[in-house]
Amino acid sequence: MHDERTGRTPESALAELRRRLEAGRVRGRLNKTQLAGLAGLSRGTVQAAFKTGGKVPSTFTVAALARVLKLPAAELQELRRDAAGGVSGDGPGRPIQQWAPHALEVHPAGPAPGSSGLVEQRVLPSYVRREHDQLLAEAVREAAQGRSRMVVLVGESSTGKTRACWEAVQPLAEKGWRLWHPFDPTRAEAALEELHEVGPRTVVWLNEAQHYLGDRAVGERVAAAVHALLLEAERAPVLILGTLWPNYFKQYTALPGADGTDPHSRVRELLAERTVSVPEAFNTSELAAASSLARGDALLADALTRAHADGRLCQDLAGAPMLLKRYENGSPTARALLEAAMDARRLGFGLHIPQAFLTDAALDYVHDSDSDQLIDNWAEKAYSELAKKVHGKQAPLPRVPTRQQQRPPGSPAPTSNDAAGIQGPVFRLADYLEQHGRSVRRHRCPPASFWHATVKHINQPDVLGTLARAAERYHRLQWAHHLYHRASQHYSRSAPVQPVRIREEARGLSGAETLMLATNLLVRLALTREKAGDHNAPESRHQQAAKDNSPGALVRLALMRKMAGDHNAPEDLYRRAADFGNDFPQLFPHHPPSRMLHRLWPYGLDPDGTPTGPWSAESEALPQGSRGLLPGP
């Protein structure tokens, strides 16, 4: 390109600029190191200004060199403009509109509908403004009015610091501001190299500021250059935004030690009165605002289902994609442990899953082609892999730390590390992966190793009963039989019942329902044995349950005795079942007591409730409606 006004090309203008600068340096008898010190520039910046084939120096570099070398600044700036093709050159960076948030290290939260899931195609959830956003907005307003400002957000990983900075600079994008994110060849080197060239109306993006200010070699020099940029009126306004973890903030702002060492004196001075804290969790009002925005935002709504209790919304949004990647790209054994944990949670396990169970359950989840992964210490390696955290301090399958439960004085000491009676180490599946498992594995039946590990390692009657019903649904009747049998073995009627009654009464349940819940497993065990063709064991199981006056067990046992030819015992059993009539409003709120009595009583009833006759001895079915009294699946 040829300048018709001056007759110069960009190449010739740049060559003339360098010739004049070199002549001034020689005349002043300065080497480039001395020149850099006098001009307040880095040695690399000065080297680049004189280097043949290098980039065009900035207006600020030219002005600083002209001042020290006593050269006509206006002529040199005209040469610089011609060398740059007529572009004024506001220093490093590019317009804010040209930046994508993920290029500035905003954590991706989820894929856009119909996208491939690549980072470039991920969308950002709706933004919920919090208290620190107000302070950021104030700094942005002052910068837009012509005053240089610096704000560093201090908070733990994945608490929304970088996203807050991105949202804050959007008003400046509309005003034509630039943004510069130094990172090549290293962050600290890039910042030191070009901070002297930053011009007005520029956002300096120091995300993860420890990489700039904490660099052992040049961190203090970077801090000094940033401080100088804030104080130089000819380069105002600039806005410097950074983020920092609390442990680095404490390290950089610590006072000198007793030995007099002070490795971060300039950083400490720079950060003074320029930091804003970002809390780890959303407060009640912020969660309410998030819920309102979530009505039109599937990503935000999904995260709120998991984070509404502890308020760690940003951590969930940042960590969820990485957790899924860990699952999808994990080793075969790590995936097997996660899938066993997913199945355990969706089929009825509590939050804490025993390690012994998981290790045995995972065996059949490993494909035959990956069987070579099952070396001697495969489990140790897999658990270690799944304990590594992603964004937001989340791990796919972390071990739950043992905590001593505080109990009232005189209470019996717990016999294990968990209130539910789990022995040994326990693990907890990440909430996002649990939710993912409930969706993608909802129709899958666990393999044999899962059921075997349950029978072998689980001793909680309620969990065993729940899993037995799941085995029935999947038509694994033999496993269901063993699970019901194991549940009945671990249900002890001699155990203290007062705490159970207190808990049940607190939930508004009647005493009869408490007993019915307790004997539910015995009745189910008997029914399962009947389905399997065993016609001897069921009666003994029903007799055990009938000792606790379970209405369903009493009715079923009466039928079995009558079908066996016993015409005396059934009447007594039906009468005992009918004695529960006073509790029917609580047990069966949708049926009036008289109707339920009629279902149990072996006689017909007049309108006034008087028995009229025996129930047909020839019938081989239960009285009409009585199956509703048997525990349902």
Side-chain angles (χ1 to χ4, degrees), residues 542 546 551-564 566 569-575 577 600 602 615 622:
H542 281 300
L554 289 166
V555 171
R556 188 73 179 177
L557 185 58
L559 174 62
M560 297 174 71
R561 297 307 306 147
K562 186 180 63 164
M563 294 179 66
D566 185 345
E571 181 176 350
D572 179 63
L573 292 169
Y574 282 128
R575 289 181 182 276
L600 289 171
W615 170 55
L622 290 174

Side-chain angles (χ1 to χ4, degrees), residues 330-364:
S331 65
T333 51
R335 284 177 56 92
L337 286 174
L338 288 177
E339 289 175 354
M342 289 176 182
D343 287 345
R345 285 292 291 137
R346 70 185 176 90
L347 294 183
F349 266 79
L351 288 176
H352 298 168
I353 308 174
Q355 181 181 25
F357 162 80
L358 277 176
T359 304
D360 284 352
L363 293 176
D364 287 351

Side-chain angles (χ1 to χ4, degrees), residues 493 538-548 553 557 561:
R493 290 174 301 181
E539 183 169 348
S540 63
R541 298 298 180 188
H542 281 300
Q543 287 173 347
Q544 293 178 34
K547 291 180 180 179
D548 285 329
L557 185 58
R561 297 307 306 147

Side-chain angles (χ1 to χ4, degrees), residues 95-333:
I96 296 175
Q97 296 98 323
Q98 297 181 12
W99 286 96
H102 301 314
L104 297 175
E105 300 168 326
V106 176
H107 291 317
S115 72
S116 63
L118 297 175
V119 171
E120 291 78 6
Q121 296 176 317
R122 291 185 180 272
V123 297
L124 292 177
S126 301
Y127 189 67
V128 182
R129 300 200 173 275
R130 304 160 72 187
E131 291 184 9
H132 56 270
D133 291 295
Q134 300 176 10
L135 299 175
L136 266 178
E138 180 181 347
V140 169
R141 283 194 298 270
E142 292 184 5
Q145 293 169 2
R147 286 171 286 179
S148 294
R149 288 293 308 271
M150 177 179 181
V151 177
V152 177
L153 297 183
V154 179
E156 295 290 352
S157 173
S158 304
T159 50
K161 304 183 298 296
T162 311
R163 175 71 187 278
C165 291
W166 170 253
E167 295 294 333
V169 302
Q170 297 312 303
L172 299 180
E174 300 171 1
K175 298 179 181 296
W177 277 52
R178 303 165 66 84
L179 187 147
W180 175 50
H181 178 30
F183 60 86
D184 181 47
T186 68
R187 300 190 190 213
E189 291 174 343
L192 190 62
E193 183 73 19
E194 297 189 76
L195 268 169
H196 299 285
E197 300 184 16
V198 172
R201 296 160 56 86
T202 300
V203 176
V204 179
W205 192 267
L206 302 182
N207 191 51
E208 304 287 1
Q210 66 269 15
H211 297 304
Y212 303 95
L213 306 178
D215 187 276
R216 293 184 178 181
V218 298
E220 285 286 270
R221 293 175 61 190
V222 171
V226 171
H227 209 164
L229 175 59
L230 290 169
L231 297 178
E232 292 180 14
E234 62 271 19
R235 292 202 277 172
V238 295
L239 175 63
I240 302 172
L241 295 179
T243 66
L244 201 61
W245 291 359
N247 58 320
Y248 291 115
F249 173 76
K250 293 177 183 177
Q251 177 184 341
Y252 301 155
T253 57
L255 296 176
D259 58 356
T261 58
D262 193 7
H264 304 294
S265 60
R266 290 184 174 181
V267 177
R268 183 173 63 251
E269 181 181 358
L270 177 66
L271 294 179
E273 306 300 327
R274 293 189 173 101
T275 59
V276 174
S277 296
V278 177
E280 290 193 55
F282 281 49
N283 60 33
T284 303
S285 60
E286 292 163 353
L287 284 174
S291 298
S292 179
L293 290 172
R295 295 169 186 167
D297 189 323
L299 277 177
L300 192 59
D302 178 60
L304 279 170
T305 63
R306 298 179 295 272
H308 69 280
D310 59 12
R312 296 170 62 87
L313 185 59
C314 290
Q315 294 89 328
D316 186 280
L317 288 166
M322 292 303 298
L323 287 172
L324 190 57
K325 289 293 184 185
R326 284 282 187 87
Y327 166 58
E328 294 174 341
N329 302 321
S331 65
T333 51

Side-chain angles (χ1 to χ4, degrees), residues 32-85:
K32 292 175 182 176
T33 301
Q34 292 170 329
L35 180 57
L38 292 171
L41 302 172
S42 70
R43 190 175 186 278
T45 300
V46 173
Q47 289 278 15
F50 285 84
K51 182 180 179 181
T52 301
K55 64 181 181 180
V56 178
S58 70
T59 56
F60 309 102
T61 299
V62 171
L65 294 175
R67 184 181 69 252
V68 174
L69 299 176
K70 296 181 172 56
L71 297 173
E75 294 180 11
L76 293 182
Q77 292 291 6
E78 183 177 354
L79 285 170
R80 199 218 70 80
R81 284 193 295 272
D82 291 344

Side-chain angles (χ1 to χ4, degrees), residues 596-608:
M596 299 312 300
L597 279 171
H598 181 67
R599 292 183 177 187
L600 289 171
W601 198 268
Y603 298 94
L605 294 176
D606 280 336
D608 61 356

